[in-house]
Amino acid sequence: MTTSSDAPAATGIAAETPVPVVGIGASAGGLDAIAELLSALPATTGLAYLVVQHLAPERTSLLAEILSKRTSKPVVEANEGMRIMPDRVYVIPPSMLLSLDGDLLHLAARSEGRQPSMSVDVLFQSLAHERGHNAIGVVLSGSASDGARGLQAIKEAGGITFAQDEASAVFSGMPNSAAATGCVDFILPPREIAAQLARIGEHPYIRTPKGEGESEQAAVSTPTDEAAFRKAFRLLRAVNGTDFTHYKRSTIERRFRRRMAVRHLEDLDGYVNLLQNNAPELQALAQDLLISVTSFFRDPEGLE
């Protein structure tokens, strides 16, 4: 358990704002990738980092000790009920599943059977549920497909997603499986992922508390913004035939802000100008806007 000495350092995040969380998942060949990513991060990002690697259950893990030598951030092995703090790294213990419950870490014993461990999916799905758009998922080197479904959950919740590029991954199964879902925003080597995390961590989108701005009353309605949205809707209708004019405006705005964070833009007019000259970005926005529709039909509660 943490103590009062674990009080968060000053990061510019309001006390009532939950700490945005980066989940990092890896397996075979992932240690060097994790270390490279952490070593490339600036000392202060305001983000907490939860690291899950597939570990041999019968061995004592040296993961925290190894990573602490590669980053200036404090690195600790996760304990049940530990409260997360910004600019700290928490690593999974052997034979456990790690998830987030509010601001607290939760550990559960991993069942040892024939089925492969999906511990990265467990973590990512908890981040999607607990943090929504304040969640970031990163899949690094590893075999099989753990993390792919979890990244989908993070993307659908409005979070931002990364996968390691094939050229830099020792084993590309996990990052390639994640990329195949179509839900990965960035496919990069670890050092470039770190650079993007540092930029995104400063964006207002990732700093806005979960749930803020979700009501229709909170939707932006200035004349300038309305004109920008109308222009964007015309562009979207021309590219895929879908008219988003009457979609729930708060959902539309959150999806726009997500793409603006990915592109490091804060001005809506500037983003709409980008859409006019960047067909891939227009397609990416259309996909983001349609995620909320398709995820509804995958959610049993949505059918009740």
Side-chain angles (χ1 to χ4, degrees), residues 125-206:
Q125 287 166 350
S126 77
L127 297 186
H129 182 266
E130 296 293 334
R131 283 300 191 268
H133 72 271
N134 304 125
I136 299 172
V138 180
V139 173
L140 300 177
S141 175
S143 56
S145 62
D146 192 15
R149 294 187 66 179
L151 277 193
Q152 285 182 290
I154 288 175
K155 179 75 170 281
E156 290 174 5
I160 297 175
T161 56
F162 293 81
Q164 186 174 359
D165 69 322
E166 187 170 9
S168 68
V170 178
F171 292 91
S172 59
M174 280 175 54
N176 283 354
S177 293
T181 66
C183 288
V184 176
D185 295 309
F186 297 93
I187 301 175
L188 299 167
R191 295 190 68 85
E192 293 184 29
I193 292 175
Q196 291 291 341
L197 289 174
R199 296 188 188 101
I200 289 169
E202 296 177 348
H203 195 278
Y205 178 78
I206 206 71

Side-chain angles (χ1 to χ4, degrees), residues 1 28 116 124 177 228 283 297:
M1 297 290 290
F124 286 177
S177 293
Q283 290 284 1
F297 293 104

Side-chain angles (χ1 to χ4, degrees), residues 42-83:
T44 302
T45 62
L47 310 174
Y49 301 85
L50 309 187
V51 176
V52 168
Q53 187 178 22
H54 296 167
L55 302 172
E58 69 278 1
R59 296 182 181 178
T60 300
S61 173
L62 299 176
L63 185 58
E65 179 181 346
I66 293 170
L67 294 180
S68 66
K69 297 176 181 177
R70 299 291 299 274
T71 178
S72 60
K73 300 182 187 301
V75 181
V76 297
E77 188 168 271
N79 288 322
E80 173 65 24
M82 182 177 283
R83 184 175 297 276

